[in-house]
Amino acid sequence: PMLEMPRDRPRPEGRTFGSRRVDGLHDAELVDGVRKLAAGSGASLYAALFGAFAGLLHRLTEQEDLVIGIAAAGQLASEMPRLVGHCVNLLPLRVSVNASTALHELVSQSRGLLLDAFVHQNLTYGTLLKKLLVPRDPSRLPLVSVLFNVDAGTERAAGAFPGLQTQLRSIPRAYENFELFLNLTPVAEGMQWEVQYNVDLFDDETVRRWLGMYERLLMAAVREPSAALGRVDLLTAAEEARLLALQPAPTPLLSSGLMHAGFEVTAAAQPDRMALRHGVQRRTYRELDERSNRLAHALRARGMGRGERVGLCLGRDADMVVAVLAVLKCGAAYVPLDPDFPKARLDHQAEDARLGLLITASGIANAPTGWCSDPDKQVLPLDADARWLEAPASPLPPGPQDAKSGDM
């Protein structure tokens, strides 16, 4: 599966490599808490940090099947421990995450995934691509678009350099292979994080917001390891207020009537306003109201009312809207039957729903027929049986078979 991160701008047709970096720090108290959480699951700090990162990607993408890359040095796997050089192999990890996954389960699951991945680190990324035959997309790196890494600690013991105070700083790259690369490094103050990101896809503000969410996810895991991933609140109060500000003001409902009752109110208030367009067809509110009233009278004449179910096996056109309104107006409930489904499946659905009547069109070959004993009386083809158009167009009077406003 391809990881589809929420982008700030459309993806270019071809791959781009322009990159910037944002830096930050997770404090020592949080890192100590994550380390204790990992120890409780028999895992390393790396596994806990990776599991939380996988959880963040799930929350951002809503994907439950993720591929995340990690970096591994291949000297030990190749039996060349004394080899000097930048020997780094990319290991894709396939992670299964869903909203119900407990935070501590992310840690223990990541432990097993990482151990399996390092066992097979001698299989190179290029060889893996040849074996998998992954579809190629010129706009992205195949298989892996996001990379995660935890560096070894860089702090040296006191006295290692007599008379010198040292500080290690990595140089931000102007170009990056990956869309997003999170690198974590233990320091005396906690855990330094650096995120390289593709500037043609993401904004600085977006990436910083994501790392804020990552930190809040780690804090939640330390505070309540058994909490489900989907229930963790990742937004700050200010971010939540910004989202709420985008919502329109609540519109009070004028009544608690049914949907078709609201339609009738609108039709009475502005009858000549265009209500429906489909291809060359146009229907005003008055026309749609009158046409649905005629069909509703025809349905009443066939015994349809409260407690009955009417099947609708129609294409997505103007007649379908008319039929929905008519069924509701006569007091019955409608059962949608997709005409693209196989006929055997539609027959089963119609029989299982115990339909009283079926509304369809003569051109729909898959319309169910096996459910009824008398198709002439129980099937109404709108385009062939036009007798319903002769019914009065006046609104239906309420009857004892009608549903009350709170019943449907």
Side-chain angles (χ1 to χ4, degrees), residues 34-198:
V34 176
R35 185 177 285 108
K36 292 176 182 177
L37 170 68
S41 300
S44 64
L45 177 62
Y46 189 116
L49 295 170
F50 177 86
F53 186 63
L56 173 69
L57 294 182
H58 165 71
R59 290 290 299 267
L60 293 176
T61 64
E62 296 186 352
Q63 293 177 235
E64 297 185 352
D65 196 4
L66 312 171
V67 175
I68 306 170
I70 62 171
Q75 289 97 325
L76 294 178
S78 58
E79 299 181 353
M80 292 185 290
R82 301 183 67 181
L83 176 65
V84 177
H86 188 65
C87 302
V88 177
N89 186 25
L90 175 62
L91 303 180
L93 271 68
R94 191 170 186 174
V95 188
S96 178
V97 186
N98 59 61
S100 62
T101 304
L103 298 178
H104 68 85
E105 291 178 6
L106 286 175
V107 178
S108 55
Q109 174 181 311
S110 299
R111 173 182 176 274
L113 287 172
L114 291 166
L115 290 175
D116 288 344
F118 286 123
V119 167
H120 299 286
Q121 61 179 300
N122 59 329
L123 182 65
T124 65
Y125 173 66
T127 304
L128 188 61
L129 285 180
K130 292 177 183 177
K131 297 288 185 181
L132 292 178
L133 300 177
V134 178
R136 301 304 176 94
D137 182 347
S139 68
R140 65 175 84 204
L141 187 70
L143 194 61
V144 176
S145 59
V146 172
L147 187 67
F148 176 87
N149 185 57
V150 179
D151 277 334
T154 60
E155 296 296 324
R156 292 186 175 272
F161 296 103
L164 291 178
Q165 291 183 350
T166 61
Q167 184 179 21
L168 180 66
R169 291 185 179 178
S170 60
I171 302 173
R173 295 182 293 277
Y175 301 95
E176 177 63 55
N177 274 322
F178 303 95
E179 296 177 11
L180 194 74
F181 178 11
L182 172 60
N183 190 73
L184 299 165
T185 306
V187 294
E189 299 84 4
M191 186 73 71
Q192 175 76 30
W193 57 259
E194 303 165 348
V195 182
Q196 291 276 161
Y197 65 93
N198 188 303

Side-chain angles (χ1 to χ4, degrees), residues 296-308 310 330 332 356-357 401:
H297 278 284
L299 295 177
R300 279 278 184 88
R302 288 167 171 79
M304 295 299 103
R306 183 178 182 183
E308 296 291 337
V310 178
C330 80
L357 186 75
Q401 73 272 34

Side-chain angles (χ1 to χ4, degrees), residues 234-292:
L234 298 182
L235 297 179
T236 65
E239 290 169 344
E240 188 170 353
R242 287 175 60 188
L243 282 178
L244 293 176
L246 296 175
Q247 303 301 317
T251 302
L253 295 176
L254 300 179
S255 69
S256 58
L258 299 176
M259 184 273 287
H260 64 278
F263 170 81
E264 290 174 338
V265 171
T266 303
Q270 41 192 2
D272 297 322
R273 183 181 175 184
M274 193 63 62
L276 186 148
R277 295 186 180 91
H278 180 260
V280 297
Q281 289 185 328
R282 301 289 188 273
R283 293 278 189 273
T284 63
Y285 276 96
R286 177 189 286 112
E287 292 170 337
L288 196 56
D289 189 41
E290 291 179 351
R291 194 173 179 86
S292 60

